[in-house]
Amino acid sequence: MDDQVDLFNVEEEGDDSITLGYYAEKAYLDYAVSVVKGRALPDVGDGQKPVQRRILFAMNEMGLRAGAKPVKSARVVGDVLGKFHPHGDQAAYEAMVRMAQSFSLRYPLIDGQGNFGSRDGDGAAAMRYTEARLTPIAELLLDELGEGTVDFIPNYDGSQQEPVILPARLPMMLLNGASGIAVGMATEIPSHNLTEVANACVALLKNPKLEMSELMQIVPGPDFHGGAQLISTPEVIEQIYSTGRGSVKARARWEFEEMARGQWQLVVTELPPNTSCQKVLEEIEEITNPKIKTGKKTLSAEQQQGKAAMLALLDAVRDESGKDASVRLVFEPKTSRIDRDEFVNALLANTSMEGNVSINLVCIGIDGRPKQRNLLEILQEWLVYRTETVTRRTQYRLEKVTDRIHVLEGRMVVYLNVDEVIQTIRESDEPKQALMQRFNLSERQAEDILEMRLRQLAKLEGIKIEQELKDKQEEQAKLQGLLESPAALKRLIIKEIETDAKKFGDERRTLIEVADRAVVENKVLDEPVTVIVSEKGWLRARQGHEHDVNQFNFKSGDGFYAAYECRSVDTLIGIGDNGRVYSVPVSSLPSARGDGQPITAMVDVESGTQIKHIIAGPESSRWLLVQSSGLGFSAKISDMMSRQRAGKHFINLEEKTQILRPIALPENTQYVAMLSKGNRFLVIDIQEVKALSGGGRGTILMTFDAKDTFAQVLAVSEQGIMATGVYRNKTVEDLIALGDLQEYMGKRARKGKALSLRMKQATLLPL
């Protein structure tokens, strides 16, 4: 689009009058830019958001370095608000608290004294009670501030100067991660190991053409503050880091503690991100003591099964976390004979001790624009930023050294001509100008000479000047060499990164080990059962097959709909009048001793929707789904299955049409016979019926005259079909062989022929 507005380069038009639409658009874009760049997203250079950057800078200005005495947090917040960040004090304090929490940041930047909250969601104490100072690792961001490394801008009222960005010596954005929601974009950057990231930077400096696969050998994945275990495959992790977006699977780490008399208990020592001991305890409580859902009168079958399964395994759970162990969740089994792997799998599958961790590498680049980047791009951009920072620092130091050399050269003039210098000063009304003319000095040198003390004219001081001048000249040559040689500058950056990595690096906390996702498996005995369905949708199951249908009893006003002989491992499907299908495991059906349960208690049906038909059978069984308008298609039960209680949309219904009772299509089915209420009969080849695994509208199976519609649809086997009806006031049956059906066979979407039988009220039955 040629007229598309650039979000970060909105230019104002010169006309004094503007339209309301343009003004609203510009105002919203300004707001969006403010949120994106000034609040929500971190900078790739120092990895900080503006409020975090201002907190660190304010504390540095207050002299709260790692070795300093901590001060009240309220003092820090006051300085931050008064000088740099005129926003809410609670918001600034919350940002400060997070930077001090070891369970939030992999490498905390603030050393907090007092109650700074807990992993279980407890809030920090008020700012008047807590104290704070910077941690040693914060020097990676602040040490080079006064060396011309970054630009400074006026604060909100122009009374102070604040840095645009901090001169980070390591890519802090990757080390501590970041999380934020902006306008139209969000970020979720996980934390990483300092040593690994530093090694990746060094490798990339040595080989700028490093491939992503080689980079992943150095940085195999996130390194969470709480440890835990990554169970995603290296291929999945590499794909996420290559695209900059995705989610990895993480789980808790645990150990078994042996106890007396052969007893044991499971102790969880590490939890994945966004999970706490309190959260896990609440999830266990919800399973073992579930609440009736809104709009329901009793617990659902799923809730009852989950409760029974958990209580059969778990005897007790308690939180023993404290000073000695930040995470210690103890699970006691019902009996020591329970399989340990099954016990762990049930806990992982039913709680947040295993789950997904989102990754979305969105940040503001060195060009000032937000963008989703992959890991390689982030490191490359940070190295460009670091190279520029070191270059500016070197240039700044060179200017300082050159100035000092200039001053020392002037002092050497004094040292070599001390008597004449003194005489010139004593005899001149303007000694500065006299010195400049007599000894060819600059104004800077002359000013320094006039400010010298007499003690600096001693012989020993002269020797010191000579030595310092020599050292400064050597330093000058070295700094000039760095600026003139990119290779030398690169070697210096590598050396500094390696030094910082050695000083602040630590071991990886998160174990990366591929494992299968924990899944709840309800062990079902495979046995023959008969599913009994009433006209009003009440379900029950009786063991075995070949039961007499006439023996089944139903509630008053209800009656028999169908009985399906299947297996306990099969699935039941309910079909709603809105085209949605709902699946229920046959194993979860109540016993046939009572009246059973309605299907509406087992699935979540939309208001105003009715379950019109119910079928059951193995997943591979195929069924014909037909609409009263003549449309239809075939599908397997596995196609109609859904994990959601709310089911899924499967049949696209036409207006004023209904779904007819589904027809089972056994493997020996060769043809489909269709009879209309107008006595038109058509037999088509089963191959003409379209199979739609994803559901849909289907194709026209039979065309009708006005006001005509389907009366019957049935599958035709090799033996043909059976017709029953009334002949001379007697009920008779007549076999219609496959050969006799030839005259009625045709292509689909035809009207068929009139069915001629020697009976009235004919009903067709499959064989």
Side-chain angles (χ1 to χ4, degrees), residues 194-491:
L194 187 149
T195 304
E196 293 175 355
V197 172
N199 291 340
C201 291
V202 171
L204 200 55
L205 282 170
K206 292 180 178 179
N207 180 17
K209 297 182 180 180
L210 198 70
E211 297 290 336
M212 180 61 75
S213 58
E214 298 173 296
L215 186 63
M216 294 306 297
Q217 298 296 320
I218 306 171
V219 185
D223 188 23
F224 304 122
H225 51 78
Q229 176 186 350
L230 277 179
I231 61 175
S232 297
T233 62
E235 292 76 20
V236 170
I237 298 175
E238 182 177 342
Q239 175 66 21
I240 292 170
Y241 277 122
S242 298
T243 59
R245 185 169 190 153
S247 64
V248 293
K249 295 179 176 63
R251 66 164 50 156
R253 296 184 69 183
W254 63 86
E255 58 187 24
F256 292 101
E257 289 186 355
E258 306 298 334
M259 305 174 71
R261 300 176 183 177
Q263 300 296 316
W264 54 270
Q265 62 185 19
L266 175 72
V267 180
V268 174
T269 56
E270 296 178 6
L271 290 172
N274 307 320
T275 301
S276 66
C277 296
Q278 184 65 30
K279 185 178 180 181
V280 174
L281 292 177
E282 290 173 356
E283 290 167 343
I284 296 291
E285 174 65 18
E286 178 62 28
I287 296 172
T288 56
N289 189 20
K291 297 179 181 178
I292 298 174
K293 295 183 177 180
T294 304
K296 303 294 182 181
K297 295 182 179 180
T298 60
L299 296 175
S300 66
E302 184 180 353
Q303 287 177 307
Q304 293 174 348
Q305 289 176 358
K307 177 180 179 179
M310 185 60 70
L311 291 177
L313 294 173
L314 185 64
D315 183 57
V317 57
R318 59 184 179 274
D319 182 9
E320 295 183 355
S321 306
K323 291 183 179 180
D324 297 331
S326 59
V327 174
R328 182 177 168 83
L329 270 177
V330 180
F331 298 89
E332 294 184 1
K334 203 76 173 177
T335 170
S336 60
R337 294 187 296 274
I338 291 176
D339 182 81
R340 298 189 181 191
D341 292 338
E342 181 184 350
F343 185 70
V344 171
N345 187 76
L347 292 174
L348 293 176
N350 287 290
T351 68
S352 57
M353 288 194 295
E354 179 176 292
N356 293 332
V357 179
S358 297
I359 296 178
N360 189 15
L361 305 181
V362 175
C363 60
I364 298 174
I366 56 177
D367 58 356
R369 291 171 173 267
K371 180 185 174 184
Q372 188 172 76
R373 294 163 170 82
N374 62 35
L375 181 62
L376 190 60
E377 289 172 340
I378 289 175
L379 290 174
Q380 287 171 337
E381 285 206 27
W382 182 82
L383 287 172
V384 171
Y385 166 76
R386 182 58 186 163
T387 302
E388 180 186 351
T389 303
V390 174
T391 302
R392 291 183 60 166
R393 184 192 69 190
T394 305
Q395 184 67 45
Y396 177 84
R397 290 178 179 177
L398 179 60
E399 291 173 0
K400 289 290 184 181
V401 169
T402 303
D403 180 69
R404 184 60 179 170
I405 289 174
H406 185 62
V407 170
L408 290 174
E409 288 175 344
R411 291 188 178 185
M412 282 301 297
V413 171
V414 176
Y415 180 68
L416 297 175
N417 306 278
V418 61
D419 294 333
E420 191 174 353
V421 168
I422 293 174
Q423 184 180 0
T424 303
I425 293 173
R426 289 180 63 186
E427 296 177 352
S428 175
D429 294 334
E430 295 183 1
K432 184 194 292 188
Q433 296 297 328
L435 288 174
M436 291 171 62
Q437 293 176 4
R438 174 64 184 87
F439 299 103
N440 195 24
L441 299 175
S442 66
E443 185 175 351
R444 175 85 170 85
Q445 290 172 321
E447 190 71 38
D448 179 73
I449 291 171
L450 291 173
E451 291 177 358
M452 286 179 65
R453 296 182 180 181
L454 290 175
R455 73 173 66 177
Q456 293 176 284
L457 299 178
K459 182 177 181 181
L460 185 60
E461 289 296 328
I463 297 173
K464 288 182 180 179
I465 293 172
E466 289 182 359
Q467 184 60 45
E468 185 181 357
L469 183 58
K470 181 181 178 182
D471 294 341
K472 292 299 180 182
Q473 287 172 341
E474 290 177 356
E475 185 178 353
Q476 182 187 42
K478 182 179 178 181
L479 293 172
Q480 286 177 337
L482 288 174
L483 293 174
E484 294 170 359
S485 172
L489 193 68
K490 184 183 294 186
R491 286 194 298 270

Side-chain angles (χ1 to χ4, degrees), residues 53-95:
R53 186 179 299 120
R54 287 165 176 166
I55 290 171
L56 293 172
F57 178 66
M59 293 182 71
N60 185 65
E61 291 294 290
M62 294 172 68
L64 298 177
R65 305 304 289 264
K69 181 182 178 181
V71 302
K72 290 291 185 182
S73 300
R75 278 190 59 190
V76 177
V77 172
D79 256 41
V80 172
L81 266 56
K83 294 181 178 179
F84 309 113
H85 197 72
H87 296 277
D89 59 340
Q90 201 57 37
Y93 183 53
E94 287 175 2

Side-chain angles (χ1 to χ4, degrees), residues 5 25 110-111 178 183 203 390 403 427 510 516 711 715:
V5 178
E25 181 181 33
I110 293 177
D111 178 14
V183 178
V390 174
D403 180 69
E427 296 177 352
T510 300
D516 293 330

